[in-house]
Amino acid sequence: MNVIIIGNGVAGATVASKLAAKGVSVQLFSEEPVGFYSRILLPQALCDKDALQDLIAKTDPPYLQKRAATAIDPEKKLVYSGNTAFGYDKLVIATGSRSRMLDIFSCTDGACALRTFSDAQNIGETIENPVVVLGGGLLGLETALWVKRKGYEVTVLEAADRILVRQLDTEGASILKAHLETQGLVIKEGVKTQAQKLDLGGHIRALVTEGEEEVPCRTLLLSLGVLPEITLAKAAGLKTNRGIVVDQYLQTSNSDILAIGDCAEYEGQVPGIIPVALAMAETAAANLSGEHKSYQTPVLFTRFKGDGLDVVSVGSIEGPAMKKRAGNRYEAYFVQDGKLKGAILVGSTEHLAFVRSKYNGSVSDADIEALLKF
């Protein structure tokens, strides 16, 4: 059996490695000119050429093709790279996601997103003070922190009423914001950008917010979330919604084609996080090796490590919570119908093992009250 995998991110690289180890014939297509690297480590390697190079795998597996897949023909079971066709028995689409952009900045000199190795190279070569990060999500804050550590002036603009709006409630976000400000970041929440000002050379010099405030800016780093990369799948006639729709076996609307990672939509969800990519890769590898394994959604877990302050968010943070704050330590537990649906841990990971073991499981008020005795 010959399996083609499109995409050399963590999902694609993992399933390729697992299949190759079992003796399956694998071809892995990557549109990037470099080998495998971890995208989540790009922020800390910004403005450091050696650190950036160190992210790339030292050797490429023999099945890696550094060429872009440009089309899929499901009927003939072919993947095209330009005019060259490659046949497959099974196909895995792991095309990941792309940065969400704003039209206003699409041609702006000095504005860019951080998603790929070449993005990181470009930022390192062109960055100028002052820097503005547009978006106070996980990637935006990590990027801002690492750029600040390299000696640049950094302002974070977040349109929502708080940073990490998907991971933290108001209390948790306020603790993190204060902590990051002690490290030199300027963070403005509830700020919507409505215009830009350019210098005579066409390079960005300032952003204008809804309140007409001008925020000086020579480098604009856009961190506005991601969109599943479904272009190839859509053109091939596969069922898509926000992502490529898959069933419990990660099969698309064509049973010979699977989709995994950030591009895959399962039960209406496209979480776009590493644990999901790895779990999907594991399931896909098993099913392509002859098993009949259903995908089990892993614990939806995100973690932000600021110097001296750990922040963890697990599952859903909607609805009422049992919570407590003591100084910079804050914990909130979200229980619905007697089941632990989510948690926020700021300033301590003492109870992380409990959360991971009880996530989606039964807990009592007494269990949570015992945790909040700190």
Side-chain angles (χ1 to χ4, degrees):
M1 180 172 70
N2 183 46
V3 178
I4 288 181
I5 299 149
I6 303 174
N8 193 30
V10 66
T14 300
V15 76
S17 173
K18 288 182 176 296
L19 290 174
K22 295 179 180 180
V24 177
S25 172
V26 170
Q27 287 175 294
L28 175 62
F29 284 76
S30 173
E31 64 182 4
E32 294 195 63
V34 297
F36 176 78
Y37 62 91
S38 174
R39 290 190 200 284
I40 62 171
L41 297 179
L42 286 175
Q44 66 190 61
L46 281 174
C47 312
D48 185 334
K49 288 183 178 179
D50 291 338
L52 203 52
Q53 286 298 323
D54 286 344
L55 295 184
I56 304 170
K58 297 297 177 275
T59 57
D60 293 333
Y63 48 77
L64 178 61
Q65 304 255 2
K66 292 177 183 174
R67 57 193 300 169
T70 53
I72 301 165
D73 185 335
E75 285 189 19
K76 294 180 180 177
K77 298 177 83 166
L78 295 173
V79 168
Y80 287 89
S81 178
N83 293 323
T84 308
F86 300 82
Y88 65 83
D89 296 304
K90 296 285 185 179
L91 172 64
V92 181
I93 302 176
T95 43
S97 52
R98 53 190 165 83
S99 298
R100 187 188 299 272
M101 301 295 285
L102 293 179
D103 290 343
I104 184 177
F105 303 119
S106 60
C107 298
T108 300
D109 189 16
C112 51
L114 176 60
R115 188 66 186 160
T116 66
F117 188 85
S118 63
D119 290 337
Q121 285 181 310
N122 178 52
I123 292 167
E125 291 166 1
T126 61
I127 191 167
E128 294 180 47
N129 257 332
V131 178
V132 172
V133 176
L134 197 57
L138 203 59
L139 178 63
L141 292 179
E142 287 181 347
T143 301
L145 205 48
W146 282 101
V147 170
K148 176 64 185 174
R149 287 170 180 160
K150 301 293 168 61
Y152 293 90
E153 301 163 28
V154 185
T155 299
V156 177
L157 301 183
E158 170 54 54
D161 64 352
R162 63 187 186 276
I163 54 175
L164 291 192
V165 68
R166 292 173 57 189
Q167 289 86 15
L168 296 179
D169 59 8
T170 303
E171 190 85 20
S174 70
I175 295 171
L176 177 60
K177 177 176 182 282
H179 179 76
L180 293 175
E181 287 173 335
T182 66
Q183 297 183 51
L185 290 183
V186 176
I187 300 174
K188 297 174 183 279
E189 299 166 318
V191 174
K192 293 182 171 60
T193 303
Q194 66 176 17
Q196 60 183 330
K197 291 197 172 181
L198 308 179
D199 63 18
L200 294 175
H203 194 101
I204 193 165
R205 67 172 180 84
L207 294 176
V208 182
T209 68
E210 264 187 0
E212 301 298 324
E213 179 191 0
E214 278 195 26
V215 181
C217 174
R218 291 294 289 172
T219 300
L220 175 63
L221 303 179
L222 298 163
S223 188
L224 303 168
V226 294
L227 298 168
E229 180 46 74
I230 61 174
T231 309
L232 281 177
K234 208 168 184 177
L238 301 178
K239 184 180 179 183
T240 60
N241 188 25
R242 275 196 307 144
I244 305 167
V245 178
V246 297
D247 65 12
Q248 68 196 79
Y249 304 109
L250 305 180
Q251 292 177 341
T252 66
S253 52
N254 182 305
S255 60
D256 289 320
I257 304 177
L258 286 72
I260 61 173
D262 286 8
C263 67
E265 178 177 330
Y266 176 66
E267 293 187 339
Q269 299 297 311
V270 191
I273 57 176
I274 295 288
V276 168
L278 291 172
M280 285 186 163
E282 189 89 37
T283 302
N287 289 336
L288 290 168
S289 302
E291 296 180 42
H292 203 57
K293 183 177 180 180
S294 293
Y295 169 66
Q296 300 292 323
T297 303
V299 177
L300 299 180
F301 170 96
T302 51
R303 187 172 195 164
F304 179 84
K305 283 190 174 183
D307 278 349
L309 188 76
D310 250 0
V311 177
V312 174
S313 177
V314 180
S316 169
I317 60 162
E318 295 178 356
M322 297 177 68
K323 54 193 176 182
K324 179 181 177 181
R325 176 175 179 176
N328 272 355
R329 181 171 179 178
Y330 172 69
E331 298 186 8
Y333 297 91
F334 298 80
V335 179
Q336 294 177 17
D337 302 321
K339 294 186 183 301
L340 182 63
K341 292 296 184 181
I344 295 169
L345 307 177
V346 177
S348 172
T349 56
E350 179 187 353
H351 297 144
L352 181 55
F354 175 91
V355 172
R356 296 188 95 155
S357 64
K358 294 291 189 179
Y359 177 62
N360 269 336
S362 297
V363 293
S364 67
D365 284 356
D367 291 333
I368 304 302
E369 286 166 1
L371 297 178
L372 295 177
K373 290 177 179 176
F374 58 81

